Amino acid sequence: MTSPYLWISPEVREALKAGRPVVALESTIISHGMPYPRNVETAMRVEQAIRARGAVPATVAIIGGKMSVGIAHEKIDYLGSKGLAVTKASRRDLGVLLSRGMDGATTVATTMIGAAMAGVQVLATGGVGGVHRGAETTMDISADLEELGRTPVCVVCAGCKSILDLGLTLEYLETKGVPVIGYRTEELPAFYTRKSGLPVDYRLEEAEDIAKAFLAQQGCGGAGGMLVANPIPKEYSMDPAYINAGIEEAVAECRRLGIRGKEITPYLLDRIQKATGGLSLEANIQLVLNNARLAADVACALSRS
Ligand code: PSU
Ligand code: MN
């Protein structure tokens, strides 16, 4: 699809034309999810990890009013160093940012949109947004879930952080027709930890199995996305009691301060990182790398089929 609002890097364009594997990467995690300069360093390492597995990385962001797929390293550095000053862009932000020629860091939802516009089928991230705790009164449900329900992209994540209501998030995904696939696990991982006590829909063992299921789903017409939950590697997973105490504190503080809307997720991520003295940041970096590797394997399997 060509659109005056879409820019694709020459490398990504060539790869797509030749049917080579490409993995989309979000940019809100860079500007709003990690502190500078670890955010930029991590974004570069993630790109390298994808290349090492034989796929082409395509970091997505809105730059100068274009949905940009495969931004250059200096743009990643710009987004990372500007941090919270960059607009966090979800689906509803697109029209105004693009028409005004602005910049934006794309959430999972908008990264899926950019990926689908370009023809990229696989996306790697850390955690997706979901149904927030207390959503029965606040109605705070991430646009990521709606996007998964409508846009045909396979999203590889490490499950959801317990800043969210994981049970309600799974219910919502079921309603939207989004399969939650556990990679070598029956349990939904909870980002920093490998377990949540909640089941995934299906356990699959290999990247090829994920690729096959994704293709079959796309063959059914009008199908949306797929969520692959990849547990954090054992050696980096955190003590559940320790991390959950930090999360509880952050959620309580967020409520006390009356933080609302799109600021909630970045606020909680920052508080948890501060409360756990950088331990959680290391875990976060490792799980993103782990997801990048699996996403690259899925993209490679798709390109072979
Ligand atoms: N959860 C994380 N890390 C993140 C995000 C969520 O553990 O970086 C970011 C992602 O970009 C995700 C977005 O798409 O936050 C969701 O924001 P919201 O809940 O406002 O939709
Ligand atoms: Mn929200």
Side-chain angles (χ1 to χ4, degrees):
M1 185 167 116
T2 53
S3 155
Y5 301 107
L6 177 66
W7 176 86
I8 307 177
S9 75
E11 187 195 14
V12 171
R13 192 179 286 282
E14 276 306 303
L16 289 169
K17 217 168 95 189
R20 288 200 302 273
V22 179
V23 175
L25 298 162
E26 61 142 323
S27 47
T28 292
I29 191 175
I30 303 172
S31 57
H32 292 67
M34 286 184 195
Y36 184 76
R38 298 299 298 279
N39 53 1
V40 173
E41 240 169 74
T42 303
M44 306 296 182
R45 281 175 75 188
V46 166
E47 290 209 346
Q48 279 160 19
I50 288 168
R51 287 189 196 285
R53 296 292 252 247
V56 173
T59 300
V60 175
I62 297 166
I63 304 285
K66 301 259 188 212
M67 175 66 89
S68 304
V69 179
I71 62 171
H73 284 181
E74 68 260 24
K75 295 288 191 302
I76 291 178
D77 193 72
Y78 159 77
L79 293 172
S81 56
K82 269 193 94 182
L84 299 180
V86 182
T87 304
K88 174 181 162 190
S90 200
R91 175 179 270 277
R92 60 106 186 259
D93 303 286
L94 279 180
V96 170
L97 292 182
L98 296 180
S99 64
R100 287 189 173 169
M102 292 169 72
D103 300 329
T106 51
T107 62
V108 168
T110 17
T111 306
M112 288 177 77
I113 296 171
M117 284 171 82
V120 178
Q121 291 181 301
V122 185
L123 188 164
T125 183
V128 287
V131 180
H132 278 263
R133 297 199 210 168
E136 56 276 22
T137 50
T138 63
M139 290 190 70
D140 188 355
I141 300 171
S142 174
D144 290 354
L145 300 187
E146 290 294 318
E147 210 58 51
L148 279 160
R150 66 195 275 185
T151 302
V153 174
C154 177
V155 176
V156 179
C157 71
C160 301
K161 278 200 182 80
S162 52
I163 58 173
L164 302 171
D165 186 319
L166 302 191
L168 290 186
T169 300
L170 289 178
E171 291 294 347
Y172 201 88
L173 288 167
E174 183 197 3
T175 301
K176 293 289 163 184
V178 180
V180 179
I181 306 295
Y183 177 66
R184 298 183 182 174
T185 179
E186 263 119 53
E187 218 175 294
L188 179 73
F191 200 85
Y192 299 116
T193 57
R194 294 171 60 86
K195 293 192 178 299
S196 66
L198 294 164
V200 294
D201 300 326
Y202 294 97
R203 171 184 174 136
L204 295 180
E205 300 301 319
E206 303 299 336
E208 280 88 82
D209 303 329
I210 297 169
K212 277 186 196 155
F214 181 74
L215 281 180
Q217 181 182 323
Q218 300 318 311
C220 294
M226 169 178 279
L227 189 63
V228 176
N230 183 28
I232 183 172
K234 275 196 195 75
E235 59 272 36
Y236 300 109
S237 71
M238 295 182 74
D239 174 47
Y242 175 70
I243 189 66
N244 287 331
I247 290 174
E248 292 297 338
E249 217 175 278
V251 170
E253 169 106 1
C254 191
R255 286 205 181 132
R256 233 181 358 258
L257 294 175
I259 290 166
R260 296 182 52 213
K262 68 195 281 192
E263 268 81 52
I264 290 180
T265 300
Y267 178 83
L268 291 172
L269 299 180
D270 181 58
R271 283 293 311 189
I272 294 164
Q273 259 154 38
K274 285 185 177 137
T276 55
L279 265 183
S280 65
L281 179 58
E282 190 52 35
N284 199 343
I285 292 168
Q286 292 300 333
L287 66 83
V288 175
L289 287 167
N290 192 48
N291 295 342
R293 290 187 288 262
L294 177 58
D297 291 351
V298 173
C300 289
L302 282 171
S303 78
R304 284 192 300 267
S305 56

